[in-house]
Structure formats: structure tokens, C-alpha cells
Amino acid sequence: MSNKKKEMLIGGNWKLNPETLAEAKDLASGITLPASDGVGAVLFPPLVFLEELVDEFPHLTWGGQDFYQEDAGAYTGEVSLPMLKSIGTGWVLVGHSDRRGKFNETDEDVNKKARAALVEGFNVILAVGEKRKEGGTEQVIASLKASTKDIPAEHLSRLTVAYEPVWAISATAGSKPATPEYAERVIRALKNELDVRYIYGGSVDSKNAKSFFARPAIQGALIGGASLKAGEFSEILRIASDFHPSSSSG
Ligand code: PGA
């Protein structure tokens, strides 16, 4: 398989940014999609801005950073999948290390959310990643298995796994990106367990994106910090389009 023939997906996880709806709209309006429509780009803004962004920027794809798996009931503070669907959102992110580490979500919680979202017809980006590099691969494989347990095979085409070593995420103190070789090695081990699309996340920017995308097993990226700069995010999308089959250079 040529390195350049693969479906690419770039996710932008805005986390708890920006502060105002006006800034969120500014950020969205600065994003330029690549000319080739072969690269998927999905943005995960704070939930409170989501409806407005879906309405005003329908050419972009929007997703929920989080939700609760029950459709309705006494779950104060939560947002449901039918609610996300009702405002035109078809994507969700589950299992991000912020949710796992800071909000105590377990693999079992992540699994419940992923299964519920896939059953509802959503596209899901499910993140897994080890906290420390040493001996981490076994830990990630175990986490992947538990997080994706009992997902029916017919739903796997809508599941993308983001391999995000926590030590490589820019918000982690002392972080540095994984090498593309390392990321690919872990992703290949994960792909042996579950054959879905894999993307890499952890300090990806426009300078290093190409080195990750050039790895055959890496089909895109989940971007945090660099997704908050429209020019930087657009440039990463452009770089990804070079690796898609419909690209003229492909
Ligand atoms: P980063 O974040 O790109 O800022 O390292 C990635 C993520 O947390 O998804």
C-alpha cells in the first residue's frame, strides 16, 4: 500500500476554549478546508457553543466533546445524544485523557458512551493512551480492549481510535510529541487487536504533521493546542490532503 492512499481524518479538540461565543465564531471563520473533499475535519468546541456554530458554519463538521449515555432523566448537568442529534451534530469524542484523568472516567464508562453513540448512529472518535511511556503499550492495549468491548462489528466503520500518549499531549507538563516511529509501532499493535481507523494525537502541529501522516498506519490526527489557531489548523488539513487518494500528488 502506498503511504499516500488512505482516508484521512483530522479532529480539532478545543477543550475548554475559547472563552466567548464571539471568539469561537472568529476561530471557525478562519478555518479553510482543503480543496480536496477527501480529508475529514471535525471540530469539538465547548458544548455551549455547539448549536450556534452548527447553524452558522454548516460547511464544517461539528461534534460533542462529551455527553451522557442515557437519553433522558435525572442527570443534572448532562447533555444527551438525542439532544446533540437534534442540533445537527453527528460526531462525538469519548475517552479523552482529560475526561479519564480529571473526571475519573473509566474504560467501562468510555465503553458505555461509545456503544450508546454508535447505536444512535454517531461517528465516534475514541481516545486511548498511556500515562507514562515505560511499559505503556500493554496498558493501552488493555484500555482499548475494555473501552471497545462488545461493539457490534457493523458499527466499527464509524469508529476511529485516537492514540494519544498522555505524556505527549501539549497540556501535560514536560510533554514532547511521540516520534512517528513510536506512534506507528503502538498503533500497529492496537490495530492487531481491533482493525479500525487510527489517528495520532499529542503535540501535533503544522511542522511535524507530515512526519506522522507519512506513516502508513496513521490516518490523521487529533489536535488540541494547534486547533485553536485557525491558520495552523487549516495548514494541518492541507498537509493531510496530500496523503489522500484523491490528491493529485497521491
Ligand atoms: P495537543 O492535544 O495537540 O495540544 O497535544 C491533543 C489532545 O489532547 O487531544
Side-chain angles (χ1 to χ4, degrees):
M1 185 181 90
S2 155
N3 285 0
K4 294 203 165 191
K5 306 286 181 195
K6 52 187 183 177
E7 293 293 327
M8 301 296 284
L9 176 70
I10 309 297
N13 176 14
W14 293 2
K15 307 184 185 179
L16 194 61
N17 305 286
E19 203 170 315
T20 66
L21 178 59
E23 288 170 284
K25 288 184 180 180
D26 262 4
L27 178 51
S29 58
I31 295 171
T32 309
L33 294 176
S36 125
D37 61 1
V39 178
V42 54
L43 298 158
F44 298 95
L47 286 170
V48 71
F49 300 149
L50 195 51
E51 180 172 10
E52 194 80 28
L53 292 169
V54 169
D55 285 349
E56 206 160 309
F57 302 92
H59 64 292
L60 299 174
T61 302
W62 298 96
Q65 286 180 17
D66 191 29
F67 60 92
Y68 192 61
Q69 65 268 15
E70 295 297 330
D71 283 356
Y75 304 101
T76 301
E78 295 297 328
V79 165
S80 72
L81 289 162
M83 290 171 188
L84 289 175
K85 204 183 260 181
S86 78
I87 59 162
T89 310
W91 285 77
V92 285
L93 180 60
V94 298
H96 190 274
S97 61
D98 289 341
R99 302 292 324 162
R100 292 174 182 270
K102 295 174 183 157
F103 300 97
N104 302 321
E105 284 190 16
T106 62
D107 286 331
E108 198 186 345
D109 297 327
V110 173
N111 180 248
K112 281 187 193 145
K113 289 187 178 191
R115 281 190 293 143
L118 289 165
V119 166
E120 283 280 345
F122 280 77
N123 296 289
V124 174
I125 297 181
L126 187 157
V128 289
E130 75 279 16
K131 287 207 189 75
R132 273 175 296 279
K133 195 170 177 181
E134 300 71 32
T137 307
E138 291 310 308
Q139 193 192 316
V140 196
I141 291 174
S143 176
L144 176 78
K145 276 185 173 166
S147 300
T148 58
K149 193 166 168 266
D150 296 333
I151 291 178
E154 72 259 30
H155 292 159
L156 292 178
S157 61
R158 281 183 284 108
L159 175 66
T160 299
V161 171
Y163 168 54
E164 298 204 302
V166 181
W167 49 267
I169 292 178
S170 68
T172 304
S175 67
K176 57 174 189 299
T179 63
E181 295 74 15
Y182 179 89
E184 168 144 291
R185 198 160 57 240
V186 178
I187 285 174
R188 284 193 184 281
L190 297 174
K191 213 170 163 69
N192 269 340
E193 294 298 331
L194 185 72
D195 190 12
V196 293
R197 169 167 57 188
Y198 285 83
I199 61 178
Y200 166 76
S203 300
V204 175
D205 58 24
S206 65
K207 289 191 189 68
N208 62 22
K210 188 175 173 189
S211 65
F212 288 103
F213 300 159
R215 293 274 147 186
I218 301 178
Q219 290 187 256
L222 183 57
I223 320 270
S227 74
L228 297 173
K229 296 176 201 137
E232 181 74 359
F233 189 71
S234 305
E235 177 61 7
I236 295 169
L237 292 175
R238 194 197 58 71
I239 294 166
S241 71
D242 282 345
F243 289 85
H244 185 268
S246 68
S247 145
S248 53
S249 59

